[in-house]
Amino acid sequence: MLPLPIADAAAAVRICGRRVVLRRPLARHVAAAASARRHPNENARPPDVAAIDRAFVNALVRASLCREHQPARAYSTLPAPPPPPPQPSTTSPPPPPLPTSDTETLPPPPPPPPAHKPRLWRSIFQAKPRPRALPWRFVGSLAELEALRRFRKALEHEAALAVVYEAYAALPGARLPLLTGRELDKLLTRFMTVPIRDQTTMLQYLSIIDDMNTCALRVTVNEWNQAISFITKASKYTSAAEVRAAFELFSQAEKDHGFRPNITTFNILLYGAMKSGSVQVVDQLLVELRRRELAFDRFTYTTLITHCGITGDSQGASDVYKNMVAAGEIIDTAVLNALMTALLRCEKLAAAEQLYTYMKTAGSKDPRPPLLDEDWQIRRSEAQQYKDYSSLRRAPNKVVPRLGPDAATFGLLTLSHSLQGNWDGVQAVLADMAQFGVPVGRSTYAALLRGFAWHGPGAAAWSRPRLEGLLRDVMDARIEWNRQMCIAVVKAVAKCYDEVGVLEKVWAEIGEQMEAQGGTMHETARQTYEDARNAYYGEEAPVEHEEGHQEEPADESWETQLRKVFLDG
């Protein structure tokens, strides 16, 4: 029911417009005019038009003064409060100069002003997609009901991912009809936010996607992208077979399930092709990106910078970085880390040190603490935020990205100095970490252990006593063990010690800590330990185990098939 002032105004409009539908008694003149129109009488006086106009104006005034329908903006006759004191500037420093050689620097072009592009507003249906209409069936027995309760308990109480999938796999018959849409979304989210992707989680996630296709459920673009990402990131060394499997899933989803790839899809494929070292596939993907008129984002530029570093093209990395700055993308620590990696791979050590000096200067002015190894969720969130700001051009001047070094930067430099056998350089990086308040994390420990595996114990700086102290620190730190750390420890101990008992003792302690953390030993790490242990007894073992990497036979025809998928299809 409308308030009285607004109802009066509406009634007055209806009378003046010759449509008299009174829902509420109006003023005296308006009511009389309405009665005269409904019941004409010759002796009745004609309606007072001026009175009706006054009633109409008064009703509008009363409606405008109604407190229940006043606008949120308030007006006051009091003097305005004084402006707040000026705050210190929080704008980020400009992007660092791009080193083109070991002695020369070329400043990048200034970022263009925010373009006056129409904002790409997301519709309600894109922001909140409609829930899936899952098929349903009744629980047929008490055993099915108990299995469903175990799954829901594991899902709601944030149990380990292995426990959640085990409960899901134990559901009898068709599993998805027993779940609700919310439970399915939460299950998929648990897999999509896993910090490290391996073969086990890949197979588990793909089995859920296969169940969804069997039940004819809608699979979103993001869920297809994550499936392709699992294939390309399941192992440390991506082979041609894994890249081919990712492209086959991409083609199948596009042809059979109405999948419409976006720039994120091609970023994932570019990353997989970059890891496999196939330059032709990367070039073909770039051609396909231009054919589909998909604009590059920050992830595309970062992947291409890393790709140029792998191929040894320092000039190409410089060109990609300048294009990224010119496109208005936000430069942060992740982009600078990718650029530093490319410079180190291209043996531009002086340029990498110059970039590191810039990052230390920028980090000393940033009050925020550097990100650590375990802050991967913050990294993902900030990267997505910077991507949205760059694409929508939404208040880019208010964004203050991180430009200082983080744990990944220190681990990268530690690895570079360890590769060169520069113990003094390693100590300088550790001193910088203490200055920035960054504890020695997993990536730094792994880099130091690789230095002992490369140079110990022949070099005086990489001696056994120092390795013993490092192993003691690693065991006392109670770090979260993963495949890389286990392999680094095994290789360092096997290189520096002649006694198999030391290797067995260290391996047993690693197993105890992993069991206490609720983890399981990765098969590649176990195989590396077996190879190192067999080498002590004189059995045949590979000299350098590539952590599960197996060379694939050359296949020259699949790239032609890839060209068919993109251009001919």
Side-chain angles (χ1 to χ4, degrees):
M1 182 176 295
L2 293 175
L4 181 59
I6 298 179
D8 291 346
V13 170
R14 293 188 184 94
I15 291 176
C16 295
R18 299 182 181 274
R19 293 182 58 189
V20 182
V21 183
L22 284 178
R23 298 181 181 178
R24 181 183 297 275
L26 198 59
R28 183 178 69 256
H29 300 285
V30 177
S35 176
R37 289 194 177 189
R38 291 177 181 173
H39 307 287
N41 188 359
E42 296 179 355
N43 298 326
R45 292 182 302 174
D48 189 355
V49 178
I52 295 177
D53 291 340
R54 288 194 301 271
F56 175 69
V57 173
N58 292 335
L60 289 180
V61 172
R62 293 172 59 191
S64 64
L65 297 177
C66 179
R67 293 184 177 182
E68 297 182 2
H69 295 81
Q70 283 184 352
R73 184 175 179 180
Y75 297 90
S76 175
T77 58
L78 299 177
Q87 299 292 334
S89 176
T90 58
T91 57
S92 59
L98 180 62
T100 56
S101 66
D102 291 347
T103 58
E104 298 180 0
T105 59
L106 176 65
H116 297 283
K117 297 167 55 178
R119 291 187 175 182
L120 305 178
W121 295 105
R122 297 179 180 178
S123 65
I124 298 178
F125 303 102
Q126 292 175 341
K128 296 181 179 180
R130 59 183 180 84
R132 296 184 178 92
L134 269 69
W136 58 273
R137 67 180 179 91
F138 292 107
V139 178
S141 62
L142 292 177
E144 291 186 358
L145 181 60
E146 184 63 26
L148 184 59
R149 286 177 177 173
R150 284 197 300 268
F151 168 75
R152 288 176 174 171
K153 182 178 179 180
L155 188 64
E156 293 296 333
H157 289 78
E158 301 293 337
L161 190 59
V163 177
V164 173
Y165 183 79
E166 183 180 357
Y168 170 77
L171 295 176
R175 306 181 185 97
L176 293 182
L178 295 175
L179 308 182
T180 62
R182 173 182 167 275
E183 291 171 347
L184 177 58
D185 292 340
K186 190 171 184 179
L187 176 63
L188 293 171
T189 303
R190 287 293 305 275
F191 277 94
M192 289 190 290
T193 56
V194 64
I196 298 178
R197 302 184 175 186
D198 52 15
Q199 296 283 343
T200 303
T201 54
M202 177 195 70
L203 295 176
Q204 292 171 353
Y205 182 79
L206 292 180
S207 67
I208 299 175
I209 297 297
D210 186 63
D211 291 344
M212 296 174 64
N213 291 329
T214 302
C215 295
L217 290 180
R218 175 177 54 89
V219 182
T220 64
V221 175
N222 186 31
E223 291 161 357
W224 279 120
N225 289 341
Q226 296 300 322
I228 299 173
S229 177
F230 266 102
I231 296 176
T232 59
K233 296 182 179 180
S235 59
K236 182 177 180 180
Y237 296 98
T238 303
S239 63
E242 291 162 341
V243 177
R244 184 188 310 162
F247 277 103
E248 289 176 354
L249 179 61
F250 167 83
S251 178
Q252 178 187 0
E254 190 174 25
K255 292 180 180 178
D256 300 339
H257 302 285
F259 170 56
R260 294 184 178 180
N262 53 14
I263 186 61
T264 304
T265 312
F266 283 91
N267 288 339
I268 296 171
L269 295 175
L270 276 172
Y271 181 82
M274 176 200 67
K275 287 180 62 179
S276 66
S278 180
V279 180
Q280 294 81 5
V281 178
V282 173
D283 295 338
Q284 188 63 43
L285 284 170
L286 295 178
V287 171
E288 182 64 18
L289 272 173
R290 296 185 180 92
R291 189 182 71 86
R292 299 194 181 208
E293 298 181 353
L294 294 176
F296 288 9
D297 61 4
R298 60 181 286 107
F299 300 108
T300 314
Y301 288 113
T302 306
T303 304
L304 291 178
I305 290 174
T306 307
H307 172 69
C308 292
I310 292 176
T311 57
D313 184 8
S314 60
Q315 185 60 41
S318 302
D319 294 340
V320 174
Y321 177 78
K322 289 189 290 186
N323 293 337
M324 184 176 184
V325 174
E329 296 291 341
I330 298 176
I331 305 298
D332 66 333
T333 301
V335 178
L336 298 182
N337 285 343
L339 181 60
M340 183 181 296
T341 304
L343 294 174
L344 291 174
R345 286 181 179 271
C346 298
E347 300 182 357
K348 302 292 184 180
L349 304 181
E353 287 293 337
Q354 180 183 355
L355 180 60
Y356 177 54
T357 303
Y358 168 84
M359 295 177 68
K360 288 193 297 183
T361 304
S364 61
K365 301 177 182 178
D366 194 343
R368 294 168 295 185
L371 296 180
L372 306 180
D373 289 334
E374 56 269 18
D375 295 333
W376 56 272
Q377 290 181 329
I378 301 178
R379 287 190 177 91
R380 289 185 183 180
S381 175
E382 289 184 352
Q384 186 63 40
Q385 180 186 14
Y386 297 155
K387 176 184 175 181
D388 293 341
Y389 280 144
S390 299
S391 60
L392 300 179
R393 296 289 191 268
R394 184 188 303 169
N397 294 330
K398 297 182 180 180
V399 178
V400 184
R402 301 175 187 266
L403 292 175
D406 58 1
T409 312
F410 295 122
L412 176 63
L413 289 171
T414 305
L415 180 62
S416 175
H417 291 303
S418 300
L419 176 62
Q420 304 168 30
N422 184 8
W423 181 261
D424 295 336
V426 170
Q427 295 303 313
V429 174
L430 295 178
D432 292 339
M433 294 179 65
Q435 180 181 357
F436 280 92
V438 177
V440 181
R442 188 171 56 193
S443 59
T444 308
Y445 280 131
L448 287 171
L449 290 168
R450 290 179 179 180
F452 282 97
W454 287 325
H455 306 287
W462 306 89
S463 59
R464 291 178 183 174
R466 286 182 174 176
L467 178 59
E468 290 177 4
L470 177 61
L471 290 175
R472 194 179 304 112
D473 294 340
V474 170
M475 297 302 175
D476 294 342
R478 297 286 175 176
I479 62 173
E480 185 178 354
W481 290 90
N482 60 359
R483 175 186 60 191
Q484 290 83 1
M485 275 298 300
C486 295
I487 293 174
V489 170
V490 169
K491 288 186 176 182
V493 174
K495 181 68 178 298
C496 296
Y497 288 92
D498 298 330
E499 300 84 7
V500 68
V502 178
L503 178 62
E504 293 175 345
K505 181 180 178 181
V506 172
W507 182 258
E509 189 168 355
I510 293 175
E512 292 177 0
Q513 290 195 8
M514 289 195 70
E515 185 178 357
Q517 295 172 0
T520 56
M521 186 64 66
H522 196 273
E523 186 61 30
T524 305
R526 191 185 306 277
Q527 184 62 40
T528 305
Y529 166 73
E530 294 294 337
D531 293 343
R533 187 172 178 272
N534 293 337
Y536 281 102
Y537 296 104
E539 301 179 10
E540 287 190 12
V543 178
E544 181 71 18
H545 188 71
E546 289 291 338
E547 305 179 13
H549 175 57
Q550 297 179 357
E551 293 294 336
E552 295 285 336
D555 188 354
E556 301 177 356
S557 61
W558 83 278
E559 293 176 357
T560 305
Q561 299 174 3
L562 176 64
R563 188 177 295 107
K564 269 187 189 175
V565 170
F566 282 144
L567 299 181
D568 300 341

